Amino acid sequence: KPEISFRAEHSITAPTQLPKFINAADHMQLLNDLAAEESKVPYYEQSVIDKTRTGYDPELYADIDWVNAISKTAAYNTRANLNVNGGTDMLRYNLTGAVYSEDGIMKRDKSLSYDTSTGLMRYNLRANVDLNITQTTTMRFSAGGYLQKLHKQANSTETTWDYAFQTPPMVHPAM
């Protein structure tokens, strides 16, 4: 008589902490204050800072939180396993199938026609059969394999984070 077992798990992963950066208007004001301390000409006119602060024209006066623009607040993982065991004194079998799905924390760039988010989908299958040919001889057959689809960005995740951390919020609008 076969024994069937099933197990499913679902989890949510999130970064413990991401850095918070100042907004574009405060960034420009800070650069102007530093220039003033050194008796230099301000980098930005006050009208530009004011238009950025009020969101007058977000494409012309950008204020982008790059960390928020490229990442999600959480990602999801799902794992499911199905096992079937059984047999007789002479023949025993075990069949195992598994599915694993993982969403990454990086968002998809919707301005592109292809998926730039990160994720993984994997399917595993395994079969084991033991056959007692004699009391002292057992023939064992095992086969297994997996199929996996991984999608990710062209750059490493570390490089993408570096760009987000180094790009000032007012350089260009997010697409």
Side-chain angles (χ1 to χ4, degrees):
K1 179 178 176 182
E3 291 181 24
I4 300 172
S5 65
F6 177 76
R7 179 179 177 153
E9 301 171 1
H10 185 74
S11 62
I12 300 170
T13 57
T16 52
Q17 187 174 7
L18 289 173
K20 301 271 188 231
F21 295 99
I22 61 175
N23 63 37
D26 290 343
H27 189 107
M28 290 186 280
Q29 187 63 56
L30 181 62
L31 290 175
N32 280 357
D33 292 347
L34 291 172
E37 283 182 14
E38 296 177 1
S39 301
K40 293 183 178 178
V41 176
Y43 292 100
Y44 299 95
E45 294 177 13
Q46 189 60 47
S47 63
V48 171
I49 296 172
D50 293 341
K51 287 177 181 177
T52 302
R53 190 176 310 281
T54 60
Y56 173 76
D57 183 348
E59 291 193 16
L60 187 57
Y61 304 100
D63 185 7
I64 307 300
D65 176 353
W66 289 110
V67 170
N68 185 50
I70 66 164
S71 65
K72 299 183 272 186
T73 57
Y76 302 95
N77 301 309
T78 303
R79 179 186 311 264
N81 296 308
L82 177 66
N83 294 304
V84 180
N85 300 307
T88 64
D89 290 338
M90 185 176 199
L91 177 82
R92 290 162 310 285
Y93 62 88
N94 173 281
L95 302 171
T96 302
V99 176
Y100 178 72
S101 171
E102 180 178 317
D103 289 337
I105 197 165
M106 305 310 280
K107 286 182 183 175
R108 176 181 180 177
D109 183 347
K110 294 181 181 171
S111 70
L112 300 173
S113 61
Y114 54 92
D115 191 356
T116 59
S117 64
T118 52
L120 173 72
M121 186 67 154
R122 184 173 56 227
Y123 304 93
N124 295 49
L125 189 59
R126 181 139 196 91
N128 298 318
V129 177
D130 292 344
L131 175 64
N132 293 341
I133 297 172
T134 67
Q135 285 186 330
T136 60
T137 306
T138 301
M139 182 172 71
R140 180 167 286 155
F141 172 77
S142 295
Y146 70 94
L147 180 62
Q148 178 173 291
K149 179 183 177 187
L150 171 66
H151 61 91
K152 59 183 183 173
Q153 301 166 335
N155 292 327
S156 70
T157 302
E158 180 180 347
T159 299
T160 304
W161 283 118
D162 286 345
Y163 288 151
F165 295 165
Q166 295 171 11
T167 305
M170 67 286 193
V171 170
H172 56 83
M175 299 309 241

